[in-house]
Structure formats: C-alpha cells, structure tokens
C-alpha cells in the first residue's frame, strides 16, 4: 500500500526529533554524518537555520524526511540555504525532496527570499537529479581537503619580517580584498560570526604593520574556515606561517578545509604542496526564485 505523507513547517520544539531523524537518514550516506546533540545545535546556529522555514515530511505523526533551511544573504541576495535534506531509508524513492520544496517555496517567495542554495556530493547522482528537477542548476564545483598534523609539510622558519598575532575584531572589509573566490555558506563572515564554537583569528602583518594575510579556524576540530594572503605577498611563506600557527593551536589530529572553490587553482596548489589531500568533491547549486 502506498504511504500517505503530509508536510508541515517545524518549530524549535521539533528539533530534537529532527536530530534523531538526521542521525538515521545520514547513517548510510556517502560520507556518514553523525552529529552529537551539541554539534547539531552548533550547526543550527552557524548555518542560520530557522525552524519556521524547515519542512518535515510526516507519515502519520512520525517525521520521515526534512529540509533544514538557513536564512541570510549570499552574494548580496536574500537566500534560503539547504543545510541538509534527509529522508529515512524506507521512505526514499517517493520524491519527498521535491514535494517538500513544493511546500516550502511559496513561503520563501512570500518572505522575500530571492534564491535557494545548497551543496551536494558529486557522486550523489539521485540527489542531483532530484534538485535539478526542482529547478536547481550547478554553479560551481567544490573540493574538500584534509591533512593530519604528521602529514603536513611546513618546512623552514617563519618569515622574519612578518608577525602573526591573534585578533578579536576581524577586519572583514580588508580580508575580502585578499579573496580569489567567494566563500561558501558555512565559511562566510556571517557564519563565522554565528558559530558558537571557539574560533581563532590570526593576522599576519609586515614590519610596517600592514596586513598581509589571515586565517580563521576552529581549534577544537581543526576546521579552517578561511585562509588568505594578500596577492602581492604570496610565495613568501606567509600562508605557511599561518598554517603552522593553526596546527600548533589545534587540538584535533588533522586540519580540514571544507568546500574550497575548485576554480581557486593557486590556492589548491598551495594546499597540495603542504600535503593536504582532497577527500571529497561537492557541487554548489542555485535556484532563483524571482
């Protein structure tokens, strides 16, 4: 007998149940994702997830699928970010993702959202087809990198003419001039500001106190959220020095960079020379609503 599904928006009260469904839905994923309750709450804050814009698919009174929706700006436009779509294994192949978007999109449009954004693992062809059928198109390819502390190649001393110091008030306006590409949703200044995890921001300045590079990372799990060097100062050991400081201040056994724009060829070459290994590829996908 064909299951009958209903769809509803969520409240903060529903999120503990969503967490349990999340664990079950992602247990057999391409890269299994198992978040503790604390990690799940951190995800909700960091990615600006608003329960009132999250959709659940129900069989009876039980949640069997969901879309977590973050709200904010991306590339200057009001954006709804899909922070995770999960469907329990027994309820797949019922087009629940598309049906949840049918329920969600009118509310997004009424709220002034101009585009929907998500990332999907490149090998996840069923999900890609589902998102394309909903109206998403691929905007760019993304790479994820990892290196254990033992693998990292950071030879030589730090440059004598550069001082690396922690800061509590990041200068995002200046940092953006160092970017070759735009960061993805989880690595934007807004996401960094929102994350409740301890974060460290280090700046590299030359002898005249000019800012020449910076790094933002989470010392507990080793995730590097942003790393950039002024274009004219690259190739002089600034990036390597920032990485070395991050490694020394990180409790985790490895450093991670999630969703590096595949078009950032020079930066990826820098990472590979430091012995970072690509372990996953994703696509960023976008759907305009206006």
């Amino acid at each position: 007998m064909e299951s009958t599904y209903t769809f509803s928006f969520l409240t903060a009260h529903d999120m503990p149940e969503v967490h349990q469904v999340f664990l079950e839905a992602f247990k057999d994923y391409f890269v299994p994702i198992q978040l503790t309750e604390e990690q799940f709450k951190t995800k909700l804050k960091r990615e600006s997830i608003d329960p009132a814009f999250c959709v659940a698919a129900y069989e009876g009174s039980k949640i069997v699928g969901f879309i977590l929706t973050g709200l904010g700006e991306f590339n200057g436009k009001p954006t709804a970010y899909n922070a995770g779509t999960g469907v329990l294994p027994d309820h797949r192949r019922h087009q629940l993702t598309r049906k949840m978007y049918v329920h969600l999109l009118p509310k997004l449009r009424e709220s002034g959202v101009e585009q929907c954004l998500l990332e999907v693992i490149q090998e996840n062809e069923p999900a890609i087809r589902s998102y394309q059928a909903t109206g998403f198109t691929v905007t760019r390819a993304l790479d994820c990198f990892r290196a254990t502390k033992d693998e990292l190649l950071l030879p030589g001393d730090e440059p004598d003419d550069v001082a690396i110091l922690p800061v509590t008030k990041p200068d995002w306006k200046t940092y953006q001039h160092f970017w070759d590409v735009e960061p993805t949703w989880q690595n934007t200044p807004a996401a960094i500001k929102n994350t409740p995890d301890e974060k460290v921001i280090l700046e590299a300045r030359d002898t005249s106190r000019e800012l020449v590079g910076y790094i933002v990372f989470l010392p507990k799990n080793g995730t590097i959220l942003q790393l950039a060097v002024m274009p004219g100062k690259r190739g002089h050991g600034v990036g390597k020095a920032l990485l070395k400081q991050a490694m020394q201040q990180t409790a985790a056994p490895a450093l991670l960079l999630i969703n590096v724009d595949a078009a950032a060829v020079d930066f990826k070459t820098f990472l590979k020379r430091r012995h970072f290994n690509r372990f996953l590829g994703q696509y960023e996908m976008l759907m305009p609503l206006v």
Side-chain angles (χ1 to χ4, degrees):
M1 180 177 171
E2 181 72 16
S3 295
T4 300
Y5 298 102
T6 58
F7 303 90
S8 177
F9 293 105
L10 299 174
T11 67
H13 179 75
D14 298 311
M15 300 318 282
E17 182 181 356
V18 173
H19 175 227
Q20 294 305 310
V21 179
F22 182 101
L23 294 176
E24 189 65 28
F26 284 96
K27 189 167 62 176
D28 64 344
Y29 197 49
F30 285 83
V31 178
I33 303 172
Q34 296 293 285
L35 302 181
T36 65
E37 183 179 355
E38 180 184 355
Q39 289 170 333
F40 187 71
K41 289 178 178 178
T42 294
K43 175 181 175 68
L44 298 182
K45 291 179 181 177
R46 178 179 169 189
E47 298 176 17
S48 300
I49 295 168
D50 186 337
F53 286 82
C54 297
V55 181
Y58 288 84
E59 184 184 50
S61 61
K62 179 185 177 184
I63 295 176
V64 298
F66 61 84
I67 294 176
L68 298 176
T69 306
L71 296 178
E73 281 204 357
F74 190 76
N75 292 342
K77 293 183 179 181
T79 301
Y81 173 68
N82 182 334
T85 298
V87 176
L88 294 180
D90 290 346
H91 299 273
R92 293 169 188 167
R93 295 174 294 280
H94 292 279
Q95 299 184 324
L96 289 185
T97 297
R98 185 182 60 79
K99 292 173 182 176
M100 285 189 285
Y101 265 111
V102 168
H103 190 80
L104 173 61
L105 292 179
K107 183 171 182 174
L108 294 179
R109 290 191 173 98
E110 289 168 9
S111 301
V113 172
E114 296 182 11
Q115 60 186 6
C116 291
L117 177 74
L118 59 82
E119 293 112 23
V120 60
I121 291 176
Q122 292 177 6
E123 288 78 17
N124 193 350
E125 294 180 4
I128 293 170
R129 287 195 297 270
S130 175
Y131 291 132
Q132 287 173 331
T134 303
F136 284 89
T137 57
V138 173
T139 50
R140 57 178 169 171
L142 306 168
D143 295 321
C144 301
F145 293 90
R146 182 181 187 274
T148 66
K149 291 179 177 180
D150 293 339
E151 294 169 333
L152 272 173
L153 186 63
L154 300 168
D157 298 325
E158 296 177 9
D160 294 331
D161 58 347
V162 171
I164 297 176
L165 296 169
V167 295
T168 55
K169 294 183 178 179
D171 183 2
W172 293 113
K173 189 172 289 187
T174 301
Y175 295 170
Q176 290 178 39
H177 293 299
F178 297 179
W179 296 353
D180 291 337
V181 294
E182 292 289 325
T184 53
W185 183 271
Q186 305 99 319
N187 299 324
T188 59
I192 292 169
K193 193 179 301 183
N194 288 342
T195 184
D197 283 334
E198 178 192 0
K199 48 191 172 274
V200 176
I201 303 173
L202 303 177
E203 290 184 350
R205 293 184 178 269
D206 63 17
T207 52
S208 64
R209 300 292 299 156
E210 182 181 19
L211 179 65
V212 296
Y214 74 98
I215 190 169
V216 186
F217 64 98
L218 307 178
K220 185 177 179 181
N221 64 22
T223 300
I224 297 172
L225 304 176
Q226 290 193 17
L227 169 60
V229 175
M230 179 189 289
K233 299 290 185 177
R234 295 172 186 173
H236 300 285
V238 177
K240 186 177 68 175
L242 287 164
L243 264 183
K244 185 178 287 188
Q245 286 290 328
M247 180 188 73
Q248 292 171 352
Q249 296 183 39
T250 292
L255 297 181
L256 297 167
L257 292 98
I258 305 299
N259 292 340
V260 175
D261 193 321
V265 177
D266 291 345
F267 183 60
K268 292 197 302 178
T269 299
F270 166 80
L271 292 177
K272 289 171 183 175
R273 286 176 177 167
R274 306 279 77 79
H275 286 190
F276 278 90
N277 297 305
R278 178 186 184 275
F279 68 91
L280 184 69
Q282 298 210 100
Y283 291 124
E284 183 182 80
M285 302 185 77
L286 197 66
M287 176 172 60
L289 299 183
V290 294

